[in-house]
Amino acid sequence: MSSLLIRNIRTLVSAETTPRHIVKGAEMAQLPVINNAWVLSENGRIAAFGIMADCPERADVILDATDRFVFPAWCDSHTHIVFAATREEEFVDRIRGLSYEEIARRGGGILNSARKMQLASEDDLLAGARARLYEVIGMGTGAIEIKSGYGLTLESEMKMLRVIRRLKEESPIPVKATFLGAHAVPLEYRERRQDYISLIINEMLPAVAGEGLADYCDVFCDKGFFTPDETDKILKSASVYGLKAKIHANELGITGGVQVGIANNALSVDHLEYTGEEEIKALLNSDTIPALLPNCAFFLGIPYPDARGMIDAGLPVALASDFNPGSAPSGNMPFVISLACIRMKMLPEEAVNAATLNGARAMELEKEVGSVAAGKRANLMISRPMNSLAVLPYHFGSQLAEKVIVNGKVFENELPDPTIKAII
Ligand code: NIG
Ligand code: FE
């Protein structure tokens, strides 16, 4: 048995005696905290916590957290960290005035990533994704979802999903895998898009499900990508294999994506930069979680999602990084929290709930991570000295994680194979 005790914690955040599964509406502004606290982990799991007057005396490892906050690790429910190459040339094209959609229409964007993906070896992809995974764990991420979607052929999608499976096997934090064959229509299918949809339904889905490579199925349901009808067909086919929906919707316009996600019982509908009253109403009558990705609005210069409208209407909101080479080349969850507060007017408490428990729920991991509760994984972040919770979003861009704890152990930010020098 190995144990870790963190004591003299200024504030232990999200300490729950009665674990919640999700936080909605006005509850999102409430964060259960214990001041002057301790937390004990045994064998990688939270065993107990309390106030310093009742602190245990012994443990294998003892850390002092005087002046520090202890948070549950971030739960990043939407990423694309398996990719073959960065796309900074498109970034410069956008600086010069091209739009993201224009670049996509010219065969850049996702299709650019797909061309490079086809040439990459599984081992090289794994090395790159592993470097990104370890980078984000070092910033406090303690559970992550990873999508395919830069393959766009049967072989290449399977290659990406096998890389995600290998990451899942070796990762110290929980990983969920999502099949995103419907990320873009390849150029050669532009005049016969039905054939690409048939390929997804008749060949990709059976192969992916046959090897048990995915937990979820995603579709980029948006202007210039997949229509709600096409999305509906793909999601219905995926559900036959037991793959639940988690979709990209309303990033580029009001497109009906949110509604089609809800009609298919999507676990989450993600992006939602364009959301009106109809979408909010539909979400209120569902169990689908809106997952907001402010990195994308920041990086592409598009409108931010209306988090305030959603929370004030009583919805739960999750926050995720969308780490990918095209629209959000960063997996820095504290920065996501800063953007949520600065640009989306979320309160620090709301943003922390959204980036922890609600993110966990958007990956069906709410019993495993997302708060400090007995039996959950001891995946925690110990902050630098901080006066109050608001310092976390306030110091945007600072590295506020002094120590990251993964499965009850201090995480040393070293790649398992230090000879691999992957380009981030
Ligand atoms: O979530 N919007 C669609 N997919 C990704 C971006 C993919 C890319 O540009 O490579 C996203 O933003
Ligand atoms: Fe995405």
Side-chain angles (χ1 to χ4, degrees):
M1 184 152 103
S2 77
S3 57
L4 169 81
L5 175 66
I6 310 174
R7 65 184 180 196
N8 294 323
I9 303 167
R10 177 179 197 133
T11 303
L12 178 62
V13 176
S14 275
E16 297 182 315
T17 33
T18 314
R20 304 157 302 165
H21 297 301
I22 190 163
V23 216
K24 301 182 182 182
E27 286 167 16
M28 286 198 65
Q30 287 158 25
L31 204 53
V33 299
I34 302 180
N35 292 322
N36 199 18
W38 56 272
V39 58
L40 176 72
S41 95
E42 282 172 358
N43 292 333
R45 302 261 159 191
I46 308 281
F49 52 82
I51 51 168
M52 277 310 290
D54 305 326
C55 187
E57 281 172 13
R58 267 184 269 282
D60 298 328
V61 177
I62 298 181
L63 298 176
D64 185 273
T66 301
D67 294 336
R68 276 116 176 121
F69 280 56
V70 172
F71 291 87
W74 316 123
C75 298
D76 191 351
S77 65
H78 181 139
T79 81
H80 311 244
I81 61 167
V82 178
F83 53 84
T86 52
R87 302 210 312 255
E88 63 275 15
E89 45 334 296
E90 292 178 0
F91 166 62
V92 177
D93 285 343
R94 284 196 301 102
I95 295 172
R96 294 188 198 278
L98 277 185
S99 72
Y100 180 77
E101 284 165 277
E102 181 55 33
I103 291 169
R105 265 198 299 278
R106 294 180 182 193
I110 295 166
L111 299 181
N112 176 3
S113 282
R115 281 190 293 277
K116 293 184 176 135
M117 175 63 59
Q118 276 158 28
L119 303 172
S121 74
E122 214 178 287
D123 285 348
D124 285 349
L125 290 168
L126 179 66
R130 182 191 282 137
R132 290 171 209 118
L133 177 69
Y134 275 68
E135 184 202 13
V136 299
I137 298 173
M139 294 188 279
T141 295
I144 196 166
E145 181 260 14
I146 311 173
K147 299 174 195 296
S148 70
Y150 292 128
L152 310 184
T153 64
L154 174 64
E155 298 69 31
S156 213
E157 282 295 310
M158 294 295 279
K159 178 167 69 179
M160 278 191 85
L161 286 166
R162 288 194 189 107
V163 169
I164 300 173
R165 179 169 60 193
R166 284 169 70 182
L167 277 177
K168 227 186 219 216
E169 285 164 0
E170 69 173 54
S171 167
I173 66 168
V175 172
K176 290 280 182 150
T178 300
F179 167 60
L180 176 54
H183 200 188
V185 178
L187 282 183
E188 60 274 30
Y189 285 94
R190 285 248 163 121
E191 303 309 318
R192 49 185 186 102
R193 42 193 299 132
Q194 274 319 313
D195 291 352
Y196 187 61
I197 291 157
S198 301
L199 178 74
I200 293 174
I201 292 176
N202 300 325
E203 296 186 38
M204 292 188 190
L205 274 171
V208 168
E211 287 193 32
L213 287 173
D215 301 297
Y216 305 118
C217 179
D218 197 337
V219 176
F220 186 10
C221 179
D222 224 318
K223 227 168 64 190
F225 290 84
F226 292 86
T227 66
D229 278 354
E230 293 167 347
T231 305
D232 190 57
K233 262 199 208 140
I234 296 167
L235 296 181
K236 290 218 161 44
S237 305
S239 78
V240 172
Y241 298 100
L243 300 181
K244 287 190 191 166
K246 262 177 83 66
I247 71 166
H248 285 71
N250 295 44
E251 173 186 356
L252 306 172
I254 299 248
T255 54
V258 169
Q259 287 84 345
V260 78
I262 292 168
N264 284 280
N265 295 317
L267 191 53
S268 68
V269 283
D270 301 21
H271 272 287
L272 277 52
E273 285 83 355
Y274 292 86
T275 303
E277 282 185 14
E278 291 299 308
E279 282 71 22
I280 293 187
K281 228 190 273 164
L283 284 163
L284 280 168
N285 290 319
S286 78
D287 290 326
T288 298
I289 304 172
L292 311 182
L293 319 168
N295 274 349
C296 185
F298 173 74
F299 191 68
L300 296 184
I302 63 176
Y304 284 84
D306 181 16
R308 236 351 335 127
M310 295 179 202
I311 297 171
D312 293 346
L315 286 172
V317 158
L319 285 169
S321 74
D322 198 17
F323 195 171
N324 77 74
S327 67
S330 164
N332 184 333
M333 284 296 283
F335 184 65
V336 170
I337 291 171
S338 291
L339 283 180
C341 296
I342 298 164
R343 302 306 310 270
M344 287 153 56
K345 304 293 173 211
M346 287 173 72
L347 293 168
E349 292 81 359
E350 292 172 331
V352 169
N353 273 320
T356 54
L357 194 56
N358 287 355
R361 175 62 207 142
M363 300 184 269
E364 298 179 293
L365 286 172
E366 73 279 8
K367 297 204 175 110
E368 186 72 2
V369 287
S371 66
V372 180
K376 285 196 180 184
R377 280 196 197 221
N379 288 3
L380 305 165
M381 188 273 265
I382 307 177
S383 78
R384 282 174 20 200
M386 292 192 342
N387 284 329
S388 75
L389 183 81
V391 168
L392 178 82
Y394 164 86
H395 273 307
F396 68 90
S398 285
Q399 170 58 297
L400 289 168
E402 189 170 84
K403 282 195 177 67
V404 171
I405 310 295
V406 177
N407 302 323
K409 292 205 184 83
V410 178
F411 176 71
E412 309 290 348
N413 201 355
E414 279 169 15
L415 289 172
D417 180 352
T419 60
I420 295 170
K421 296 237 183 312
I423 295 169
I424 295 197

